[in-house]
Amino acid sequence: MTTITSSELPSSSLLSSKKTIINYRLPQIEQLLQHSDLADYVRLLSRPVVTNTLRQLFASIRQHPDFKIQGVNHLDVMALVLDSCRQLYRRRQQRVINATGIAVHTNLGRSPIDEQIWDSIKAVNVGYNNLELKLSDGKRGDRNGLLPTLIQSWIGAADCVVVNNNAASVYLVLHALAAGKEVIVSRGEQVQIGGGFRIPDILALSGCKLVEVGTTNITTSDDYINAITENTAMVLMVHQSNFSMQGFTESPDIQDVAERLPEHVSLVIDQGSGLSSEQYAQSEVSLPRYLQMGVDLVCFSGDKIIGGPQAGIIAGCPKLCQQLAKNPMMRTFRPGRIVLSMLEQLLVQKLNRDPAGFGVAQQALDRAKISQTLAQQWTQRWKPYVQAVPLVMQVGGGAIPSETYPCYGLKLTLPGKAQLHLDALRDLPTPIIGYVNSNQLLLNVATLLDSDHAVFIAQLDDYIQSYINTEAK
């Protein structure tokens, strides 16, 4: 609801000393709804939502002290109505242009879905499909469909379970395989990721007993093995999301831990990123490598490096995957057909080495190679208000936190505070999301999608020209 401030209503000092006819009647809402200026908002927000917005706005106006003195005299009601609707519309999900230099940006929807993949799953989702029907005999089927087969060919996992995000993966694994028992976690891996997801809290909620081993910077294989008791169910190793430790550190030999664990203890890795065969993250352990080391299960996201929809994938030992699939919580966490069909198509493209299956991080790194050429071209277009500058990009999304990659971008040199221009670009019809560093407004070219270029250029053309015109006056 828009709240009216005193600055938006005329001061009582503006009242004439002569007798003034004061109008206390606001326009009728039904009449306003017929106004052509509101037609787009009715279409975009719905008529009931716009109606409620106007009612709340008018209630705020009526409660304002200045309204009781002056009524609606000198008050641009239509401007307030349009601003209320506009602010509400800005809360709706809409396309933005990512010029932040972070390819997998959590606040910007993580990985964009490749248009080719999106188009290819349209038919299976706008009609009925065989989500839980075996077409071979007409009996009830497994909703994972072709995914276990695809994932086996992709990373060598014998089986898999798909849930709605990777946080659900970790919770389900703990709840189904270790409730009431001990789970060993290194002190250096008791992390918190965005939204307050803390490993110790998740262990407690899933009914497990946390056993801490090692220190913040050093944990050895012996630390894990020496902590095992008859009540130990699992060793959980967690990716250090959004941070890295350097210097005097030591990590265990995972294969050594896997070989020395007794049969009743599972080794589970929360790998997070979904790195598989990519060559740009040499510091990360890939999914196939973990499985080759003898890990029982790996958990990872579908919407980070893989480039798919939000999903959590648990891959590895068939016996453990079957336990997860049969757990009552699985029904709470299972994704729907849109996610499953999209993952299927993505992995087919990935296995065929089609660029559509490469993921946004790889695509951004490819664009980084030509970012200098683009930045210099656009600098000539908008000279002297833009400069080409060397920048770096990150994969983001909690994946590969310690690695950056060289690229180029634009520095806007328009007069005025950089933050004001940043806010203005975010207010464009297709918002451009950049960032401010050392009081400089920067737009990273590497994370612009190819399909964004035309809109990006047109909007900056208009923005810079309007600023020049304003300054000329």
Side-chain angles (χ1 to χ4, degrees):
M1 181 179 78
T2 298
T3 301
I4 304 303
T5 64
S6 58
S7 63
E8 293 172 299
L9 288 171
S11 170
S12 56
S13 63
L14 296 177
L15 288 173
S16 171
S17 58
K18 298 180 180 180
K19 186 175 181 180
T20 302
I21 299 176
I22 300 175
N23 180 14
Y24 291 102
R25 296 186 61 183
L26 289 162
Q28 291 185 357
I29 289 178
E30 186 59 34
Q31 289 181 337
L32 284 175
L33 290 172
Q34 306 302 321
H35 199 290
S36 58
D37 288 350
L38 275 180
D40 283 341
Y41 288 118
V42 170
R43 176 176 58 83
L44 295 168
L45 298 171
S46 81
R47 185 183 179 90
V49 167
V50 173
T51 300
N52 289 335
T53 300
L54 299 190
R55 287 172 179 164
Q56 292 168 4
L57 171 66
F58 286 4
S60 175
I61 292 174
R62 290 188 182 102
Q63 293 300 315
H64 199 282
D66 286 354
F67 175 78
K68 297 175 182 178
I69 299 173
Q70 305 174 61
V72 295
N73 291 349
H74 311 292
L75 183 61
D76 191 341
V77 176
M78 195 61 193
L80 293 172
V81 165
L82 292 172
D83 184 64
S84 296
C85 292
R86 179 175 173 276
Q87 293 304 323
L88 186 61
Y89 173 69
R90 284 169 61 83
R91 290 162 50 188
R92 180 173 176 171
Q93 291 197 40
Q94 54 192 284
R95 180 160 185 157
V96 303
I97 295 174
N98 179 9
T100 66
I102 301 173
V104 182
H105 201 303
T106 300
N107 300 128
L108 304 183
R110 286 197 174 173
S111 293
I113 303 301
D114 187 274
E115 189 171 353
Q116 181 181 333
I117 291 173
W118 182 267
D119 290 342
S120 67
I121 66 164
K122 177 180 177 180
V124 79
N125 284 293
V126 298
Y128 297 104
N129 72 359
N130 60 323
L131 179 66
E132 292 186 359
L133 176 69
K134 291 169 63 179
L135 294 177
S136 57
D137 58 14
K139 295 181 180 179
R140 185 183 180 92
D142 179 5
R143 64 168 43 212
N144 281 339
L146 193 61
L147 279 172
T149 302
L150 293 169
I151 288 176
Q152 183 177 32
S153 295
W154 173 41
I155 59 173
D159 201 358
C160 72
V161 173
V162 182
V163 292
N164 52 29
N165 59 40
N166 197 43
S169 296
V170 176
Y171 180 89
L172 181 63
V173 166
L174 292 169
H175 177 79
L177 305 181
K181 296 187 177 181
E182 297 172 351
V183 175
I184 302 172
V185 184
S186 167
R187 288 184 173 88
E189 295 177 356
Q190 295 178 39
V191 301
Q192 173 177 327
I193 61 175
F197 182 94
R198 293 184 172 187
I199 291 298
D201 294 345
I202 296 304
L203 263 78
L205 287 171
S206 59
C208 304
K209 179 182 178 182
L210 170 63
V211 176
E212 301 175 323
V213 296
T215 63
T216 302
N217 59 321
I218 293 179
T219 303
T220 66
S221 299
D222 287 342
D223 289 328
Y224 289 107
I225 301 304
N226 293 337
I228 293 172
T229 70
E230 292 182 357
N231 196 43
T232 303
M234 183 183 301
V235 169
L236 175 65
M237 297 184 181
V238 183
H239 181 266
Q240 295 170 349
S241 178
N242 293 323
F243 77 99
S244 63
M245 289 194 296
Q246 300 176 348
F248 184 50
T249 63
E250 183 179 343
S251 300
D253 183 324
I254 295 174
Q255 186 167 341
D256 180 49
V257 174
E259 291 173 351
R260 295 169 63 187
L261 284 179
E263 189 175 346
H264 72 281
V265 180
S266 301
L267 176 55
V268 177
I269 305 288
D270 175 15
Q271 193 254 13
S273 68
L275 181 78
S276 57
S277 60
E278 291 80 7
Q279 299 300 310
Y280 53 79
Q282 300 302 315
S283 63
E284 295 285 297
V285 180
S286 69
L287 297 169
R289 181 63 186 135
Y290 274 126
L291 293 168
Q292 292 163 7
M293 291 177 182
V295 168
D296 293 301
L297 294 173
V298 288
C299 305
F300 54 98
S301 297
D303 56 346
K304 290 187 179 180
I305 289 180
I306 303 174
Q310 177 177 295
I313 302 172
I314 310 163
C317 173
K319 180 180 177 181
L320 297 180
C321 286
Q322 289 167 17
Q323 285 183 246
L324 298 175
K326 293 177 181 178
N327 187 273
M329 291 300 295
M330 181 61 202
R331 190 171 184 87
T332 303
F333 294 141
R334 69 184 188 183
R337 64 180 185 174
I338 297 175
V339 168
L340 295 172
S341 61
M342 195 176 295
L343 280 174
E344 278 187 340
Q345 185 61 32
L346 172 67
L347 291 179
V348 168
Q349 303 292 84
K350 191 177 290 291
L351 290 169
N352 282 337
R353 303 196 61 78
D354 188 297
F358 286 175
V360 69
Q362 181 63 64
Q363 293 167 9
L365 285 165
D366 292 341
R367 288 193 296 271
K369 299 173 184 176
I370 62 169
S371 61
Q372 182 175 5
T373 300
L374 286 175
Q376 290 173 342
Q377 288 177 355
W378 292 339
T379 295
Q380 292 301 315
R381 184 185 189 95
W382 296 311
K383 195 175 182 178
Y385 301 103
V386 170
Q387 295 177 11
V389 291
L391 299 173
V392 295
M393 63 156 286
Q394 292 178 283
V395 171
I400 323 174
S402 61
E403 296 193 26
T404 59
Y405 308 90
C407 62
Y408 266 74
L410 305 174
K411 179 176 72 174
L412 265 67
T413 57
L414 290 167
K417 291 184 178 181
Q419 184 63 47
L420 294 178
H421 292 298
L422 180 73
D423 295 341
L425 294 182
R426 199 175 59 250
D427 201 33
L428 293 173
T430 302
I432 298 175
I433 313 300
Y435 63 102
V436 171
N437 185 27
S438 300
N439 296 318
Q440 296 179 331
L441 174 56
L442 301 172
L443 303 175
N444 196 309
V445 173
T447 49
L448 298 183
L449 302 179
D450 294 341
S451 56
D452 289 332
H453 285 188
V455 176
F456 178 78
I457 292 170
Q459 290 192 144
L460 272 185
D461 274 344
D462 291 344
Y463 183 74
I464 292 173
Q465 189 58 52
S466 66
Y467 195 88
I468 293 171
N469 293 339
T470 301
E471 289 293 297
K473 294 178 182 179

